[in-house]
């Protein structure tokens, strides 16, 4: 379960980085901390992503909370916007 939730967080942060670089027609991505802050997300989700990708997996509870936060952001930014 932890690996699945962690992968979702890693993919979500990859998506916001890609949207930033494509939307601004950049060839280089900016630091995720800056992009996430500009998108109204906390730096915490980026730190969690870094731990999941480069260190040990955080606990299920924390990963689930971050997944709920990410889904809320996607819902607000994309689904409700249409």
């Amino acid at each position: 379960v932890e690996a699945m939730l962690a992968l979702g967080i890693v993919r979500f942060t990859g998506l916001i980085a890609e949207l930033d670089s494509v939307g601004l027609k950049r060839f280089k991505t900016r630091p995720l901390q800056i992009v996430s802050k500009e998108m109204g997300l906390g730096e915490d989700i980026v730190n969690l992503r870094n731990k999941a990708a480069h260190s040990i997996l955080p606990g299920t509870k924390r990963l689930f909370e971050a997944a709920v936060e990410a889904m809320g952001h996607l819902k607000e930014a994309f689904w409700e916007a249409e």
Side-chain angles (χ1 to χ4, degrees), residues 13-81:
T13 54
L15 172 68
I16 63 171
E18 182 179 338
L19 290 173
D20 179 66
S21 64
V22 170
L24 298 175
K25 295 182 173 69
R26 297 177 190 269
F27 294 107
K28 292 176 72 176
T29 57
R30 296 185 302 158
L32 277 173
Q33 285 85 359
I34 293 171
V35 176
S36 67
K37 192 173 190 177
E38 288 177 358
M39 291 186 161
L41 296 165
E43 199 174 295
D44 189 43
I45 200 160
V46 175
N47 292 335
L48 190 67
R49 178 253 178 227
N50 291 340
K51 282 183 183 176
H54 304 294
S55 186
I56 59 170
L57 289 178
T60 306
K61 182 177 185 243
R62 181 62 199 112
L63 287 166
F64 184 77
E65 292 168 351
V68 169
E69 179 185 355
M71 287 299 296
H73 178 76
L74 290 172
K75 181 181 176 192
E76 182 181 311
F78 298 102
W79 292 310
E80 290 178 353

